[in-house]
């Protein structure tokens, strides 16, 4: 979870807050009717965008942006509301709208929000120019209840004064449409200095009344990174709709929160520096249109390079296209992405269809394709450039493994952006927010992203534009080279290599970083080392393979067998450099923590030893070597009892990434039917089709892609080609990989829709009995390989049964249990 820097227990308490606001009832009605119609008609080319509900995750701290965007679009047009609204929009009806802006991220938990630059707010000013409410506090308005609308590529919201705001987008531009009450004169306020994080550090605004154009450029601050860093953003607002609209009054304004409210009619320029003394200093443009036109169209272009490029983006991507033209173009782009996975619409439960395609939609919202818009060290780069990579710790587990199944081209483009950072900065980014380095959470999680690509597409890497040798060099830099400042990239690898773990309170004379999270950083570093080992093996570097294999076992060095909690012995703990453990109660920072003020995130006083997690949660984290974890915990029986207790006692957090694989841990103890039960429970107690339908922050579609894998009945082991087999929530689905020109269809024999609920009823078939790949039955039923299934394409048949006890094992034959390195697993790569 990328969270604001407050205590995890407090956020867990806040997460229970649900508001009663809902988007327009038409949204859910439209989706339900579309699913029902598609199921009846059984069409081969449905409108997949009709199954998407962009408002899922806009409450309960899901931080989803429902704004208008194209796949991986740099712009996401949405309103910005008061209160806690990192993505701009929230459903909470007690919050007010402050404007509509083109730049947002989706699913990030920065406390104040990210972007929100260049807000525009339509106004009614019966007393004329000087009476307009330009400052944020003065102009804020409530929404008109039940009028919020959104679909892929479209967003709309109506103010309580009956002004309707609509937006649609291209990659770097879009159109805004405003409908005013009959007979009213349209006024608009447009911001220079306001953004969501309140980070304005100087900029300029120019009004060209003859051209009907306003250009803006400024410096702003990161939403999840050092405040010392600033990025530049630029916008171009074309006001005349190709000559169909006539500008009337225009000018500039400044304001603050202590009485300043000044307007300059006829003035055309603002040139403001950073307000060094502090405080909120607001500024922008104010303009109106002649007459009383009911509809106003405004074309918007944005850029991270210059105002000239912002205008060029609007001209090249929107031009003279109508609002409907851009909506339709966006819709077509979304259908091309959403059709990469086809569900059996006629027989899949409607709520599953809506959850699935909404999640798939969010998996294409980020990161933001800012190719051609790079700045700073990346200005003029020949590589693809993606912004909003924050954070790799969130996305390596499920986001990129899902992309590997259907979109290797986009995967390679994003990976090229990671590798380009290594070329220019010396390390791949852990987090990139607002074109700036963001905070490191677990280590160098980009290593897993790069390794997973190499494992699955090494044969096609050159055709996809990736040099595997350079990729490997980037991995070795992360694994062996200590950056001077590891708060924002790389790892504290010097002491990690010296001691075999990241020590607590260690003397480090060669690098700087916040010395917290020693337990979780050790665990993450070790798994990252496993990813590097995989690529070393792939490239035939046996020395590095063995070195990094040994380092991948360093997770064992923070296991304290003496710690006991709830009757179970042995937990991960942070450790001093002299080898002694620094005890922390394993329940600290868990949902059962009684200390609501405990720091659990990036704060300097997080003494727990883990990042946004408890030791109860992180003690399950060794995805490459679960077999040895079972041994440490006392064997299969104790492991299963402990895993049951973890869930039943309330330690599990569905919205926390280290727990993503935990519900499927039963596979490794040879009890896969219990994994099926647990995943059903996880899905239906944490996800639904309401605005509060996520278990917290979407984390740039980490939650979305976790849910997708659960619904498809498979789960990836990152940095490997192995997928764990579960029980699909749909009787049939097909995944298309256009680059490989393959399609893989998974069919569930004996599928019973009654099994698709929190508790599988007696007699409902849900438990995997046999798995057949292209006509050949596997000896086991717990895992299969990417190369046998998704790379080749073809037919997969999963036969399910209601007889749980008869299939509560992984089957017969060598290799039936999922692999672990301590048992010789992952010894051969395809």
């Amino acid at each position: 979870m990328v969270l604001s820097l407050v205590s995890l227990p407090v956020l867990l308490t806040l997460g229970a807050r649900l508001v009663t606001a809902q988007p327009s009832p038409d949204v859910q009605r439209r989706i339900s009717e579309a699913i029902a119609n598609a199921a009846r008609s059984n069409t081969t080319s449905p409108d997949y965008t009709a199954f998407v509900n962009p408002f899922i995750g806009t409450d309960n701290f899901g931080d989803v942006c429902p704004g208008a965007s194209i796949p991986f679009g740099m712009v996401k047009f949405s309103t910005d509301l008061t209160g806690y609204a990192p993505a701009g929009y929230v459903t909470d009806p007690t919050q007010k709208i402050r404007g509509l802006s083109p730049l947002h991220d989706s699913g990030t938990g920065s406390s104040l929000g990210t972007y929100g630059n260049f807000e525009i707010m339509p106004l009614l000013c019966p007393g004329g120019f000087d009476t307009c409410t330009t400052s944020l506090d003065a102009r804020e308005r409530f929404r008109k209840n039940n009028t919020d609308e959104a679909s892929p590529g479209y967003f709309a919201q109506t103010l309580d004064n009956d002004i309707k705001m609509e937006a649609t987008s291209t990659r770097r531009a879009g159109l805004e449409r405003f409908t005013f009450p009959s007979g009213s004169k349209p006024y608009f306020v447009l911001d220079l200095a306001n953004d969501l994080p309140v980070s304005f550090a100087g900029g300029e605004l120019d009004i060209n009344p003859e051209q009907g154009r306003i250009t803006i450029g400024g410096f702003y601050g990161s939403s999840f990174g050092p405040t010392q860093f600033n990025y530049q953003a630029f916008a171009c607002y074309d006001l005349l709709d190709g000559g169909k609209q006539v500008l009337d009054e225009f000018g500039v304004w400044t304001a603050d929160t202590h009485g300043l409210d000044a307007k300059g009619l006829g003035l055309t320029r603002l040139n403001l520096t950073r307000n060094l003394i502090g405080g909120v200093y607001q500024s922008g443009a104010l303009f109106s249109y002649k007459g009383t036109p009911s509809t106003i169209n405004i074309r918007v272009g944005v850029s991270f390079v210059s105002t000239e490029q912002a205008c060029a983006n609007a001209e090249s991507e929107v031009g003279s296209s109508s609002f409907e033209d851009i909506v339709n173009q966006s819709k077509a782009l979304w259908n091309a992405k959403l059709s990469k996975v086809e569900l059996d619409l006629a027989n899949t439960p409607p709520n599953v269809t809506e959850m699935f395609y909404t999640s798939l939609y969010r998996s294409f919202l980020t990161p933001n394709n800012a190719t051609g818009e790079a700045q700073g060290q990346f200005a003029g780069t020949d590589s693809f450039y993606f912004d909003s990579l924050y954070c790799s710790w969130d996305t390596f587990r499920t986001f990129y493994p899902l992309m590997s199944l259907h979109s290797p081209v986009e995967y390679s483009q994003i990976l090229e952006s990671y590798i380009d950072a290594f070329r220019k900065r010396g390390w791949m980014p852990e987090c990139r927010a607002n074109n700036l380095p963001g905070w490191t959470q677990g280590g160098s999680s980009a290593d897993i992203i790069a390794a997973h690509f190499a494992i699955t597409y090494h044969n096609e890497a050159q055709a996809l534009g990736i040099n595997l040798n350079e990729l490997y060099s980037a991995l070795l830099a992360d694994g062996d080279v200590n950056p001077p400042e590891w708060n924002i990239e790389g790892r504290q690898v010097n002491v990690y290599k010296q001691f075999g773990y990241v020590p607590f309170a260690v003397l480090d004379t060669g690098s700087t970083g916040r010395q917290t999270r020693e337990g979780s950083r050790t665990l993450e570093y070790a798994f990252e080392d496993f990813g590097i080992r995989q690529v070393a093996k792939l490239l035939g570097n046996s020395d590095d393979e063995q070195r990094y294999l040994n380092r991948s076992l360093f997770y064992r060095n923070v296991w304290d067998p003496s710690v006991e909690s709830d009757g179970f012995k042995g937990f991960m703990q942070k450790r001093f450099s002299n080898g002694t453990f620094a005890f922390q109660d394993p329940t600290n920072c868990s949902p059962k923590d009684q200390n609501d003020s405990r720091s659990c995130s990036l704060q300097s006083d997080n003494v727990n030893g883990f990042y946004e997690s408890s030791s109860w949660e992180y003690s399950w984290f060794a995805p490459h070597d679960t077999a040895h974890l079972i041994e440490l915990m006392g064997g299969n029986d104790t492991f299963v009892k402990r895993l049951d207790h973890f869930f039943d006692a309330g330690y599990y957090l569905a919205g926390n990434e280290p727990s993503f694989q935990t519900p499927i841990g039963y596979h490794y103890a040879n009890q896969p039917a219990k994994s099926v039960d647990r995943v059903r429970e996880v899905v239906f107690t944490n996800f639904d089709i309401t605005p509060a339908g996520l278990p917290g922050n979407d984390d740039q579609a980490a939650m979305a892609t976790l849910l997708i894998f659960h619904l498809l009945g498979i789960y990836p082991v990152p940095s490997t080609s192995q997928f764990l087999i579960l029980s699909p929530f749909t009787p049939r689905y097909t995944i298309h990989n256009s680059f490989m020109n393959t399609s893989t269809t998974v069919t569930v024999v004996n599928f019973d829709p009654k099994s698709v609920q929190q508790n599988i009823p007696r007699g409902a078939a849900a438990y995997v009995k046999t798995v057949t790949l292209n006509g050949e039955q596997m000896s086991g039923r717990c895992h299969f390989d990417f190369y046998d299934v998704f790379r080749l394409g073809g037919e997969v048949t999963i036969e399910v049964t209601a007889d749980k006890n008869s299939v509560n094992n992984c089957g017969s034959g060598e290799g039936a249990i999922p692999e672990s390195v301590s048992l010789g697993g992952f010894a051969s790569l395809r």
Side-chain angles (χ1 to χ4, degrees), residues 1 3 49 165 248 252 278 365 392 467 472 710 781 801:
M1 290 183 285
L3 297 174
T49 67
M165 303 181 289
D248 191 6
V252 298
L365 272 180
S392 305
N467 183 318
Y472 187 56
H710 283 340
R781 48 177 163 255
T801 178

Side-chain angles (χ1 to χ4, degrees), residues 556-746:
R556 302 176 183 181
N557 296 335
V558 290
W559 178 264
D560 185 346
S562 68
V563 175
E564 185 170 346
S565 180
D566 292 2
F568 295 94
K569 291 195 70 173
F571 286 86
M572 302 294 180
Q573 293 279 288
K574 65 182 184 180
R575 195 172 187 178
F576 290 103
S577 56
N578 66 4
T580 60
F581 286 98
F583 172 77
Q584 290 289 310
D585 190 323
T587 67
N588 289 352
C589 295
S590 77
K592 299 185 71 175
D593 192 344
Q594 299 301 307
N595 183 353
D596 290 345
S597 62
R598 190 185 312 278
S599 295
C600 299
S601 186
L602 292 174
Q603 306 95 325
S604 59
D605 62 342
N606 174 7
V607 298
N608 185 47
F610 299 92
Y611 178 66
E612 294 182 349
S613 301
S614 64
S615 176
W616 255 106
E617 187 170 21
Y618 247 118
S619 290
W620 303 103
F621 186 75
H624 58 304
D625 200 21
T626 304
H628 190 71
L629 275 184
I630 292 175
E631 182 180 332
L632 290 173
M633 291 183 181
N636 279 358
D637 290 344
T638 303
F639 179 86
V640 169
K641 290 176 183 177
R642 180 168 173 161
L643 197 52
D644 285 341
H645 181 77
F646 174 71
F647 289 98
D648 298 341
Y651 290 116
Y652 171 70
L653 280 172
N656 212 14
E657 281 76 6
S659 281
F660 274 15
Q661 189 170 320
T662 311
I664 315 157
Y666 298 99
H667 274 53
Y668 293 88
N670 202 28
Q671 295 196 32
K674 290 181 71 72
S675 295
V676 171
D677 284 335
R678 195 62 76 181
V679 167
R680 287 289 204 275
E681 176 188 67
V682 165
V683 168
F684 286 109
T685 56
N686 293 282
F687 299 91
D688 60 43
I689 59 174
T690 70
L694 296 182
N697 189 5
D698 195 35
D699 283 336
Q700 288 212 286
M703 299 303 134
T705 49
L706 171 68
L707 179 58
I708 287 171
F709 276 121
H710 283 340
L711 297 180
L712 294 179
I714 54 177
Y715 188 85
V717 181
S719 285
T720 80
S721 55
Q722 187 164 103
F723 283 83
L724 308 179
I725 302 171
L726 291 156
S727 180
F729 288 53
T730 174
R732 191 172 188 270
Y733 63 86
T734 300
I735 298 177
H736 301 288
N737 186 329
S738 56
F739 177 81
M740 297 296 294
N741 195 29
T742 60
S743 295
T744 302
T745 296
V746 176

Side-chain angles (χ1 to χ4, degrees), residues 13-37:
T13 301
L14 292 172
R17 178 191 63 84
L18 303 181
V19 299
T20 57
Q22 297 290 332
S24 167
D26 292 339
V27 173
Q28 189 57 61
R29 187 181 305 116
R30 168 182 55 80
I31 295 169
S32 298
E33 290 176 354
I35 293 172
N37 290 337

Side-chain angles (χ1 to χ4, degrees), residues 123-136 138-139 187-191 207 249-256 259-270 281-288:
L123 304 172
L124 299 177
C125 308
F129 187 92
D130 286 334
T131 68
C132 286
T133 53
T134 52
S135 69
L136 289 175
R139 79 192 194 207
Y187 281 86
F188 291 87
V189 58
L190 176 61
D191 291 343
I207 304 172
E249 302 153 295
F250 56 86
V252 298
W253 60 275
T254 59
D256 63 17
L260 173 63
D261 182 11
K263 301 176 181 69
L265 180 63
L267 299 182
T268 61
R269 181 167 172 77
L270 288 169
Y281 189 77
Q282 305 169 24
S283 60
L286 177 63
F287 58 93
S288 67

Side-chain angles (χ1 to χ4, degrees), residues 756-774:
V756 185
Q757 55 181 295
Q758 179 177 336
N759 297 304
I760 300 170
R762 185 182 299 274
Y767 305 102
V768 178
K769 181 178 180 181
T770 63
V771 179
T772 302
L773 305 181
N774 291 320

